[in-house]
Amino acid sequence: MKKRYTLEQKHWDAPAEHAMPEHTRVPASLTIGNVRIAPATVLAPMAGVTDTVFRRFIKNASIFTTPASKDSPEGPFALREAVDATTTNQQSGCGLIMTEFTSADGLSRMRESKRKRYLTYYDDEHPISAQLFGSNPATLADSARIVEDAGFDLVDLNLGCPAKRVVACNGGSGLLRDLPQIERIFRAVRAAVTIPFTVKFRMGWNDDHIVCVPLARLAEDCGLSAVALHARTREDGYTGQARWEYIAAVKDAVSIPVIGNGDIRTPEDAAAMVDATHCDAVMIGRAAPSNPWIFRQIAQYTASKEASGVGSYDIPTDSDRYRMIRTYFEMLVDEIALEESAASIRAAALTEAGQLAARARHRDAVGKMKQFAAWFTHGIPNGSALRKAIFEAKSGPAVLASVEAFFESRANAPQEAFTLEPDAELEAAPAAWG
């Protein structure tokens, strides 16, 4: 009997619990082409999630070399003072970040001014990879050149997205049924750019059409610098258990770096994947919005294990989560303010359509706050009350006010024990994660 394909399912089906392996840890670094990634952890590209604000938020939430004091008023997971600081991948537990996946066709046709909205990043985001999707080799090559000219460190091809609207255009995992076309794309993009070129893909279209090993070999033969495998098929969607044995098979088949993806929820899971597959790095997707500290926790465990022989990492409290919500929302509001300031400077020349677009971006940002509230309040006692207040807010400042009010009420109330809410809270996710 075939498994039911459920694209919207973003929670885990009875996830396996892993003990921390005794002798295996996430590697300290890997090199992709000429780019050093340290530590060997990657934030997965997620549509509607990994914009510049979320990427910088994760990077700064992952800082571990100069943590705040446990006696600090902001607590051990203090983030705000680090937001504007320049960080490097050697300071952050997240070694590589990736953009939301971007249509190569749209990117190649749009005006340069509009491209900036999709390819915006800040200096403290390096190393950073831009992910593209599409099916036309020439168009993907043109878009890869645009990415390289924009200063990205790497360019990645999406062969994993299972969304119907993407697959219908033969993009994402739809291409897994056409290896000859994939080869044409690989060769066109590789010839177009000098920066490292990587690919993220699934095992295959379904269990009757598993192509991950020949696809990885094809990538290596075409000069790609690394491969990342989400160990599910397109038909699996996000159901069932990720089948890490296929990551191991890919690792055995090629000599270029292999990045493993699928069902990493904890530092124990990350180390267990490395132990089971010998992959060179781990990629974390849907766990990051609900536990933005996971990269830091992995780094803490590795550092403490190397220093003392006993690995450990901090578990965020509900208060840490409150501060994290406030910090992310403040960053998002600041980003809105920057856009509005730039728009006001251009006001005399701004068309009515441009003004409408600016207001639409503001609404999008407020909508994103509400979308993220379901993830960020996962596990917070009485988090439903905060979600309700956020969903009813009409503006960015109103959202922040509701967070502050919730903070104050919590400060004056007895602290409840930290308990995880049902994973169904994480289902309110975009439908285009690979």
Side-chain angles (χ1 to χ4, degrees), residues 197-259:
F197 172 32
T198 63
V199 60
K200 182 175 186 281
F201 55 100
R202 286 181 174 238
M203 291 157 40
W205 181 256
N206 55 32
D207 284 351
D208 297 326
H209 195 259
I210 302 293
V211 298
C212 54
V213 169
L215 198 161
R217 287 177 175 147
L218 178 62
E220 184 173 39
D221 290 344
C222 291
L224 273 69
S225 306
V227 297
L229 175 62
H230 180 173
R232 287 184 171 87
T233 66
R234 191 270 174 178
E235 190 174 80
D236 288 337
Y238 299 92
T239 61
Q241 304 292 316
R243 289 174 273 177
W244 291 356
E245 63 270 23
Y246 284 94
I247 300 173
V250 167
K251 177 61 183 172
D252 287 342
V254 298
S255 59
I256 57 177
V258 174
I259 302 167

Side-chain angles (χ1 to χ4, degrees), residues 27-347:
S29 67
L30 80 155
T31 300
I32 299 178
N34 59 352
V35 178
R36 182 171 182 261
I37 311 299
T41 53
V42 184
L43 174 64
M46 292 177 279
V49 178
T50 52
D51 60 8
T52 182
V53 175
F54 186 77
R55 295 191 307 260
R56 285 182 290 131
F57 174 73
I58 286 292
K59 195 114 179 184
N60 285 291
S62 303
I63 291 174
F64 66 96
T65 55
T66 55
S69 166
K70 291 183 180 294
D71 299 324
S72 165
E74 290 293 310
F77 286 93
L79 306 179
R80 188 63 187 171
E81 70 271 17
V83 166
D84 296 321
T86 298
T87 66
T88 71
N89 58 324
Q90 283 75 33
Q91 292 174 302
S92 176
C94 182
L96 176 67
I97 52 181
M98 301 183 73
T99 67
E100 303 173 74
F101 79 145
T102 303
S103 165
D105 184 60
L107 194 63
S108 65
R109 287 185 296 152
M110 67 181 60
R111 298 187 306 275
E112 184 174 354
S113 59
K114 192 174 181 181
R115 287 173 187 161
K116 291 179 181 178
R117 180 182 174 191
Y118 293 91
L119 298 180
T120 294
Y121 67 91
Y122 290 79
D123 287 344
D124 62 350
E125 294 186 58
H126 289 291
I128 180 171
S129 176
Q131 190 184 67
L132 303 174
F133 77 93
S135 59
N136 184 286
T139 302
L140 280 159
D142 287 342
S143 294
R145 280 190 285 266
I146 291 169
V147 164
E148 182 173 44
D149 291 344
F152 284 87
D153 301 289
L154 307 94
V155 62
D156 184 76
L157 174 65
N158 180 305
L159 296 181
C161 177
K164 291 180 181 178
R165 62 183 176 84
V166 175
V167 171
C169 300
N170 206 31
S173 57
L175 276 168
L176 295 176
R177 298 168 293 182
D178 192 350
L179 288 184
Q181 182 69 357
I182 290 176
E183 179 175 4
R184 288 187 282 270
I185 291 170
F186 281 171
R187 295 195 184 282
V189 174
R190 181 66 286 170
V193 297
T194 60
I195 59 175
F197 172 32
T198 63
V199 60
K200 182 175 186 281
F201 55 100
R202 286 181 174 238
M203 291 157 40
W205 181 256
N206 55 32
D207 284 351
D208 297 326
H209 195 259
I210 302 293
V211 298
C212 54
V213 169
L215 198 161
R217 287 177 175 147
L218 178 62
E220 184 173 39
D221 290 344
C222 291
L224 273 69
S225 306
V227 297
L229 175 62
H230 180 173
R232 287 184 171 87
T233 66
R234 191 270 174 178
E235 190 174 80
D236 288 337
Y238 299 92
T239 61
Q241 304 292 316
R243 289 174 273 177
W244 291 356
E245 63 270 23
Y246 284 94
I247 300 173
V250 167
K251 177 61 183 172
D252 287 342
V254 298
S255 59
I256 57 177
V258 174
I259 302 167
N261 177 225
D263 289 356
I264 296 179
R265 303 168 299 115
T266 66
E268 288 86 350
D269 294 338
M273 175 183 280
V274 174
D275 188 57
T277 71
H278 303 293
C279 62
D280 300 282
V282 295
M283 178 180 284
I284 299 170
R286 52 187 163 150
S290 58
N291 180 17
W293 304 282
I294 186 168
F295 296 99
R296 173 178 173 153
Q297 290 172 331
I298 293 170
Q300 283 179 325
Y301 179 85
T302 301
S304 60
K305 181 75 171 178
E306 291 175 351
S308 66
V310 179
S312 64
Y313 58 88
D314 294 332
I315 303 297
T317 65
D318 58 337
S319 294
D320 297 324
R321 289 177 178 270
Y322 298 150
R323 297 186 186 97
M324 175 264 291
I325 295 167
R326 185 183 64 189
T327 297
Y328 174 77
F329 286 174
E330 285 176 348
M331 291 178 69
L332 199 50
V333 168
D334 288 347
E335 193 73 12
I336 294 169
L338 282 174
E339 287 192 7
E340 290 181 340
S341 175
S344 65
I345 292 172
R346 304 189 307 269

Side-chain angles (χ1 to χ4, degrees), residues 325 329 366 369-378 380-395 398-403 405-406 421 425:
I325 295 167
F329 286 174
V366 174
M369 288 181 176
K370 296 178 180 182
Q371 168 194 317
F372 275 50
W375 295 320
F376 282 4
T377 56
H378 183 63
I380 295 179
N382 201 29
S384 59
L386 177 55
R387 286 192 290 277
K388 183 175 184 294
I390 291 172
F391 293 155
E392 291 175 351
K394 304 297 184 184
S395 67
V399 171
L400 280 177
S402 65
V403 172
F406 190 70
E421 296 175 357
E425 292 292 343

